[in-house]
Structure formats: structure tokens, C-alpha cells
Amino acid sequence: MDLVKLNFEETFLQVWKGRAENDALNRLVLSANLTWREVIILRAYNRMMRQQKFPFSVAYIEQVLGMYPKIARELVNLYLEMHDPKLKMPLEKRGHKISARILDMLQDVQKLDHDRILRGFVTLIENTLRTNYFQTHADGTPKSVLAVKLNSHKIPDLPLPRPHVEIFVYSSRVEAVHLRGGEIARGGIRWSDRHDDFRTEILGLMKSQMVKNAVIVPVGAKGGFVVKQPPKTGGRAAYQEEGIAC
């Protein structure tokens, strides 16, 4: 109970500071004993699903995760085991037992939609190649920005064409994606105002980039980001400064 209390107090503080969002996933701090940063893992994948045209809303996915706190806990455990640099376990052996345990727990899920959502998390986590989750600032404090690199062409539900890999970045201030058509690719990054589907915009630009640069390099790359908390005062200059700061 003391650990739950500490997690709750720290989460409240981080929400107050604006480093964590105030949404329904924070209930998992109490029901699944997750820390505020562990909740960010699930929140990032939820927002990623929205950009990948997963057929359920962010709010509905939050609701489903809240209904199955034990599975939510195991999803986080799967993510941590697969990427913890301090864990003394070969990479090829990581996650298998936890994935099997989650699949067994899914036998008790009430609805087909719930099953599809939870399996969607498993698929994304299992196809995550790298993450910055275990990096810290120079003073040792954890980062509130989460970046994950995905093995995109192995994720069956992604809209075509599937990139070779992609990086998704999440924080309370910004969300971003970078799509690469292959190991050797070129392309820039742009500011987007399409909060709900900026990946669709970037995917179209990547396809154009691949055609444009076909003579130079075989494949293209493109990235984009959205600012989630634009300043209310200061005009265009302040808005641009927030984008740079993010």
C-alpha cells in the first residue's frame, strides 16, 4: 500500500507539472500499481494506434485497459523485459513467458473488441526494436518523452505501404513520427497541424519522396510532428518557439 501511495502522489505531481497527461489511464496507478512513467508506455502505444488507423478511439482503449489492470500490468512487464539494458537475459529469450501469460489471460476477456485491442498492444510491443525509456537526463532524472522504434513491416494492421521501420515519439507536449522506407533513406521532417492523423500525411509524403528520389537513393523517408499545447499568447513566434523546444 505504501508503494501505491507513493506512485499516486508522484503521478499527481507529474500531472500538475505537465509532464504527464490527465486521462483515464492514470487509474492504472491504483488498480495495476503502475508508476507515472509506466503509464506513459501504454499511453504512447494508444496514441500510436490512433495514428495507425486502429478502429477504436483513444478513450475506448483507455476504458478497456482500465477494465483489465492485470493485463495492463503484464503489457508493461513485457515492454520492460524486452528492453531493460540491465537485465541479464539474452535478447532472443526475452518476453516469451510474459507473452504466453498474456495470451492465457485473454481467454477471460469479455468482448471481441477488447481482445483485439489488447492483442494490438502485444503486437506493437513485440515489434518494438528500441526505446529511450531507460535513458535519463544528466542529473539522473527520468525523461518524460518516450520514443520507440518499430519493425513496421511486421505489423499486419498498418496501412499500406508499410515502412521498413518507423519511430514514434510521445510526450504531453508533442507527438511525432518518422517513417523510413529502407535502411538507406533520405527525407526531411515537417510541422503538422493534423493532430488525429498526421501519420497519414507523413506516409503520403514518404511515398512521394520515394518517387522523387528514386534516382538518388532507392527509398525515401519523412517525419512530422504536432504541438499539443500551443501557447495561448505570444502569437506565431511563441508557437514556433514551443515547436523548437519540444
Side-chain angles (χ1 to χ4, degrees):
M1 181 60 71
D2 290 341
L3 183 58
V4 174
K5 179 176 181 294
L6 290 173
N7 283 342
F8 175 79
E9 291 174 348
E10 183 63 20
T11 300
F12 186 90
L13 179 62
Q14 297 302 328
V15 171
W16 183 268
K17 291 180 177 180
R19 302 185 74 207
E21 293 194 62
N22 184 20
D23 61 21
L25 287 182
N26 287 326
R27 72 181 67 178
L28 294 170
V29 172
L30 297 176
S31 61
N33 195 21
L34 298 181
T35 67
W36 70 278
R37 292 192 72 241
E38 289 172 339
V39 172
I40 284 179
I41 295 171
L42 298 176
R43 188 175 288 130
Y45 282 109
N46 187 6
R47 303 304 173 83
M48 196 184 306
M49 287 178 173
R50 174 176 67 175
Q51 295 301 325
Q52 295 174 350
K53 297 301 181 182
F54 203 64
F56 303 102
S57 69
V58 168
Y60 184 59
I61 294 175
E62 290 173 354
Q63 178 185 343
V64 171
L65 288 171
M67 293 174 63
Y68 304 98
K70 291 182 179 179
I71 297 179
R73 172 74 263 178
E74 292 292 1
L75 289 171
V76 171
N77 289 342
L78 176 62
Y79 178 91
L80 297 177
E81 181 173 297
M82 290 184 64
H83 299 288
D84 189 347
K86 296 181 180 180
L87 188 62
K88 305 299 182 181
M89 180 188 296
L91 291 176
E92 64 273 10
K93 294 184 178 181
R94 296 189 184 192
H96 298 308
K97 291 183 179 179
I98 299 177
S99 291
R101 192 157 62 240
I102 293 172
L103 294 179
D104 185 60
M105 296 169 73
L106 289 176
Q107 301 305 312
D108 297 326
V109 166
Q110 299 174 9
K111 295 183 179 181
L112 184 60
D113 283 357
H114 299 177
D115 182 272
R116 183 176 178 184
I117 288 169
L118 296 169
R119 287 179 190 272
F121 275 89
V122 174
T123 298
L124 289 177
I125 293 172
E126 288 182 338
N127 286 288
T128 296
L129 301 173
R130 295 178 186 169
T131 178
N132 72 333
Y133 181 83
F134 296 93
Q135 295 178 356
T136 61
H137 296 290
D139 60 1
T141 57
K143 294 183 177 181
S144 59
V145 177
L146 181 64
V148 295
K149 182 179 181 180
L150 297 169
N151 195 356
S152 309
H153 66 277
K154 288 190 175 182
I155 301 174
D157 291 333
L158 283 182
L160 297 175
R162 299 188 189 106
H164 177 65
V165 295
E166 63 186 88
I167 297 172
F168 186 82
V169 179
Y170 166 83
S171 79
S172 60
R173 296 172 63 187
V174 67
E175 290 180 24
V177 69
H178 191 265
L179 310 178
R180 297 184 63 84
E183 293 184 4
I184 301 175
R186 62 175 295 173
I189 187 169
R190 65 178 285 125
W191 197 316
S192 176
D193 57 3
R194 291 170 57 171
H195 284 242
D196 290 331
D197 67 342
F198 62 85
R199 185 185 183 277
T200 300
E201 176 187 16
I202 302 307
L203 181 63
L205 292 171
M206 185 198 76
K207 291 162 63 178
S208 300
Q209 193 78 2
M210 292 173 71
V211 175
K212 177 182 176 182
N213 290 330
V215 179
I216 307 172
V217 291
V219 288
K222 205 70 176 178
F225 67 95
V226 292
V227 172
K228 297 164 65 176
Q229 299 183 31
K232 295 181 173 59
T233 59
R236 182 173 178 82
Y239 192 82
Q240 290 180 332
E241 183 62 30
E242 172 66 9
I244 295 171
C246 290

